Amino acid sequence: MNERIIELIDIAPKDFWGAQDTHLETIKKYYPKLKIVARGTTIKAFGESEILDEFEKRFKRLMLHFSRYNNINNNVIERVIQSDQQEEYMNPKDKILVHGLGGKLIKAMTPNQQKLVDLTMKNDMVFAVGPAGTGKTYTGVALAVRALKEKQVKRIILTRPAVEAGENLGFLPGDMKEKLDPYMQPLYDALRDMIPPEKLEDYILKGIVQIAPLAFMRGRTLDNAFVILDEAQNTTHSQMKMFLTRMGKNAKFMITGDPGQVDLPRRTISGLKEALLVLKNVEGIGMLHLDDKDVVRHRLVKKVTDAYKAIENHD
């Protein structure tokens, strides 16, 4: 029987193997013909030479992923072991987007999130679409905060179409800002991870950070700004066209959304779906489709997404 020994280099075993070795157990499931034993920073595998070669190649990609993203989970393991796209895992670059609160290092957590970062560097307008939990908005906000900190832009503008998901804003208590704040909460949450509270409040007061519904963008020219349109699947044709034509000098536009979660009235065409078709061949516009393998929320989110997808496909 052949033996292969691999060492974890600059990787904490506890983080890599997972709580109660859950990640290790997942890896083992993909190689039932191998005997795999892990002790501390060393992993030993026993079996046929050909299977060992394949195991070693995939396992080293997992280590590269961990070195690059400081993160590993069952989705990552599945993708790395089953994917033939090795270039995603070569030449790891530890690209920190923002140093968040409490020393938190905010960076791309999956290869597709890294592609989103790279696309944004190359293009002034980027569409990022995919299901819930894939980090579209969070990565976008991190890129916006970095651009502000590096003085590439003078302000951040975050906006969403005010489509009520089961509630009418008119029946909510408070003035317009108080009514809209809960709806804009995910954008505030992302910012609060990256900017100290007092500074964020000051930025908002001075208009350096603006969070507003899409209707407030009408008639404006957005210069020297990193602008994110979130939940873009709920824009109409005219809203999307209006937003895209607000782009001014030295501006970055990111449009994020989930085409599978449209809350518009029936027979109303989603501005996001239409824009993806109309603009797909326009030079200078980047487009990225994230999928459920990019889900970085709780592991159950992917299972929930898969379960609903199965029902929808069946229908």
Side-chain angles (χ1 to χ4, degrees):
M1 187 178 282
N2 299 293
E3 179 186 13
R4 202 65 52 90
I5 301 173
I6 307 170
E7 288 288 332
L8 298 182
I9 301 167
D10 295 327
I11 292 174
K14 192 170 97 173
D15 295 336
F16 191 83
W17 302 131
Q20 298 177 325
D21 291 342
T22 50
H23 299 157
L24 177 62
E25 293 306 313
T26 301
I27 293 167
K28 286 180 179 180
K29 286 176 188 174
Y30 287 99
Y31 295 95
K33 293 183 179 178
L34 297 181
K35 182 184 177 184
I36 299 171
V37 181
R39 292 283 184 274
T41 59
T42 304
I43 187 166
K44 293 182 181 179
F46 305 87
E48 292 179 16
S49 182
E50 193 175 325
I51 302 174
L52 285 171
D53 288 344
E54 183 65 22
F55 168 75
E56 183 174 10
K57 182 172 75 174
R58 305 283 173 166
F59 189 81
K60 285 183 175 177
R61 286 186 199 170
L62 276 175
M63 291 196 296
L64 281 172
H65 180 101
F66 192 91
S67 298
R68 183 174 182 178
Y69 301 109
N70 201 31
N71 152 273
I72 197 172
N73 56 39
N74 288 341
N75 293 344
V76 169
I77 294 166
E78 177 188 350
R79 182 173 60 244
V80 174
I81 289 176
Q82 295 187 331
S83 172
D84 291 322
Q85 298 178 331
Q86 64 175 7
E87 67 274 5
E88 288 183 345
Y89 304 95
M90 302 304 286
N91 303 319
K93 291 170 278 184
D94 198 16
K95 294 184 179 177
I96 296 165
L97 297 177
V98 180
H99 290 268
L101 268 61
K104 182 178 181 181
L105 302 180
I106 295 167
K107 50 189 173 180
M109 299 290 282
T110 72
N112 267 341
Q113 287 182 14
Q114 185 60 51
K115 282 181 184 175
L116 179 55
V117 173
D118 296 339
L119 262 184
T120 307
M121 296 299 103
K122 294 174 190 169
N123 301 277
D124 287 338
M125 184 180 290
V126 173
F127 286 80
V129 298
T134 49
K136 308 177 297 293
T137 305
Y138 196 82
T139 304
V141 172
L143 285 164
V145 171
R146 183 174 75 171
L148 183 67
K149 285 186 174 183
E150 294 179 357
K151 299 189 176 0
Q152 296 168 9
V153 297
K154 292 181 180 176
R155 53 193 174 146
I156 295 171
I157 299 171
L158 308 176
T159 185
R160 284 178 150 197
V163 174
E164 298 92 0
E167 285 188 339
N168 190 310
L169 291 175
F171 290 97
L172 294 174
D175 60 22
M176 183 56 75
K177 183 180 182 300
E178 288 169 332
K179 288 178 181 182
L180 286 166
D181 275 356
Y183 186 70
M184 301 293 183
Q185 195 62 45
L187 302 174
Y188 284 110
D189 288 345
L191 284 167
R192 286 181 184 126
D193 266 5
M194 304 172 202
I195 302 174
E198 305 82 10
K199 196 165 193 177
L200 178 57
E201 193 174 331
D202 186 52
Y203 278 166
I204 291 171
L205 283 171
K206 290 177 178 174
I208 294 169
V209 171
Q210 301 173 27
I211 304 175
L214 183 57
F216 286 32
M217 300 298 114
R218 195 173 298 277
R220 300 180 64 183
T221 301
L222 305 175
D223 294 322
N224 300 307
F226 197 118
V227 187
I228 299 174
L229 169 56
D230 194 34
E231 298 288 336
Q233 73 275 6
N234 289 326
T235 59
T236 62
H237 160 87
S238 59
Q239 285 176 326
M240 179 60 80
K241 186 179 174 185
M242 177 275 291
F243 173 76
L244 296 179
T245 53
R246 298 304 94 203
M247 194 172 197
K249 295 175 184 175
N250 189 39
K252 285 272 190 188
F253 270 37
M254 182 178 290
I255 299 94
T256 67
D258 177 4
Q261 293 286 336
V262 177
D263 295 321
L264 293 167
R266 282 191 170 195
R267 297 188 184 85
T268 302
I269 296 169
S270 165
L272 175 62
K273 290 183 178 180
E274 183 184 50
L276 291 171
L277 290 171
V278 172
L279 304 174
K280 64 181 178 183
N281 296 319
V282 177
E283 191 177 344
I285 296 179
M287 292 186 180
L288 179 68
H289 292 264
L290 298 98
D291 57 36
D292 53 12
K293 291 187 178 66
D294 294 297
V295 171
V296 291
R297 292 181 183 170
H298 193 283
R299 60 186 174 80
L300 284 176
V301 173
K302 182 178 182 296
K303 292 184 178 181
V304 169
T305 306
D306 288 344
Y308 274 97
K309 193 185 290 181
I311 293 171
E312 287 156 6
N313 289 342
H314 183 72
D315 290 343

